[in-house]
Amino acid sequence: MRGPVWNPFSEVSHIIRDQRSARGGSRDQRTNRRIRAREVRVVGPDGAQLGVLPLEAALERARSEGLDLVEISPMASPPVCKIMDYGKFKYEEKKKASESKRAQLKVELKEVKLRPKTEEHDYEFKVRNTRRFIEEGNKAKVVIQFRGREITHKEQGTAILEDVAKDLKEVAVVEQAPRMEGRLMFMILAPTPKVAQRARELARQAALNAKQRHGDKDDKDDEKEEKDTKEQPATAAAPKADEQGVAAPGVPQ
């Protein structure tokens, strides 16, 4: 029976993977038996320095506390490891990343269409909408749509776009000057730095309010669960007394 065939490409791949992990390129830290150093500098779960210990002693210390040994600084000499609940740590990291992503302002490109012969009230309505898009932190693509022989009067479209930029100069800057694409003329407006900053702050505040509401809901759920737990023994006691042939108070035998 032939033994396993040595694969040099597999060996190289393994070495490269180890090097990436040593440089911190790995997505997860080494934990417990995945740690390769013979000695490690150990940090306790409360942040206390426990000194340099043999790997087996550090693993035993983590096991005795029902926790994991996690390599947090692999490039140190010796590597630094911390005793912690790794599952809880990863959950909290994922939760923080999710909250950070939710607090970020997602910038969208909103499109507003006009015609060379747009009526005044329609123009004002479209400009108000564009202002709202900009104040929310988005960009606006203002488009002039030419039909038929209107294409021969491109200067009308240019004049309208200039009017829009002038009417919104307090909140927007022209990111892309007017240009033609087929029968469409358009320009792109972006929020001024001050407006963009205010929009980011509002997004962060909205994320914080959502987090607080979620926290209040969790607190109420915990209170309800605790109340149900307290009431459960009293309900379960009656059948037990009945099984032993003892009548419950107030119930005739």
Side-chain angles (χ1 to χ4, degrees):
M1 183 174 181
R2 296 178 60 185
V5 179
W6 176 67
N7 187 345
F9 297 102
S10 175
E11 185 71 19
V12 171
S13 175
H14 180 72
I15 293 172
I16 292 174
R17 193 162 54 246
D18 290 348
Q19 289 174 346
R20 285 177 179 170
S21 181
R23 288 197 300 268
S26 178
R27 301 176 72 179
D28 293 327
Q29 291 94 334
R30 292 194 188 105
T31 58
N32 301 323
R33 289 293 175 184
R34 292 176 58 204
I35 300 171
R36 298 190 179 93
R38 295 182 178 180
E39 290 185 336
V40 293
R41 187 176 301 277
V42 183
V43 179
D46 56 354
Q49 297 287 336
L50 304 182
V52 178
L53 300 175
L55 178 60
E56 289 299 327
L59 288 171
E60 182 59 34
R61 181 69 178 264
R63 278 196 298 268
S64 67
E65 300 193 29
L67 300 173
D68 302 298
L69 185 67
V70 182
E71 190 177 54
I72 59 175
S73 183
M75 299 304 292
S77 181
V80 179
C81 297
K82 185 173 182 180
I83 296 174
M84 67 172 77
D85 184 337
Y86 189 60
K88 182 179 179 182
F89 169 76
K90 292 296 290 182
Y91 170 77
E92 291 176 350
E93 286 291 305
K94 184 177 179 181
K95 187 176 178 181
K96 287 178 184 178
S98 177
E99 291 173 357
S100 176
K101 185 177 180 180
R102 192 162 53 240
Q104 291 177 354
L105 180 64
K106 183 179 179 181
V107 178
E108 298 180 4
L109 181 63
K110 303 287 188 176
E111 186 171 294
V112 180
K113 290 185 178 180
L114 294 165
R115 295 286 311 284
K117 297 180 180 179
T118 298
E119 299 289 341
E120 184 65 24
H121 68 278
D122 192 26
Y123 170 85
E124 292 176 355
F125 174 76
K126 296 291 181 67
V127 169
R128 282 197 302 270
N129 277 349
T130 306
R131 178 183 292 272
R132 177 167 57 84
F133 297 150
I134 295 292
E135 289 178 344
E136 290 173 352
N138 297 305
K139 297 181 180 182
K141 181 179 181 180
V142 186
V143 181
I144 306 296
Q145 191 171 23
F146 296 94
R147 294 180 182 173
R149 296 181 60 83
E150 292 175 348
I151 195 68
T152 60
H153 299 285
K154 297 178 183 178
E155 69 280 358
Q156 294 180 357
T158 303
I160 292 175
L161 293 181
E162 289 176 351
D163 288 343
V164 173
K166 190 182 299 181
D167 291 339
L168 297 175
K169 64 181 180 180
E170 296 177 357
V171 297
V173 294
V174 178
E175 185 177 79
Q176 185 172 317
R179 56 178 291 186
M180 287 293 300
E181 280 191 3
R183 287 185 168 271
L184 301 178
M185 178 184 288
F186 68 92
M187 71 175 177
I188 295 179
L189 300 176
T192 63
K194 185 177 180 180
V195 172
Q197 177 63 26
R198 185 164 64 244
R200 285 193 293 268
E201 291 174 356
L202 290 174
R204 280 195 292 267
Q205 187 61 44
L208 180 61
N209 293 340
K211 180 181 177 182
Q212 290 176 344
R213 287 195 298 270
H214 185 70
D216 293 342
K217 181 178 180 299
D218 288 344
D219 291 342
K220 290 180 181 178
D221 290 344
D222 291 342
E223 290 176 4
K224 184 177 182 301
E225 184 177 351
E226 184 178 355
K227 183 179 178 182
D228 293 343
T229 303
K230 289 180 178 179
E231 293 176 352
Q232 188 175 359
T235 307
K240 185 175 181 181
D242 186 59
E243 288 172 5
Q244 295 175 352
V246 180
V251 179
Q253 296 192 31

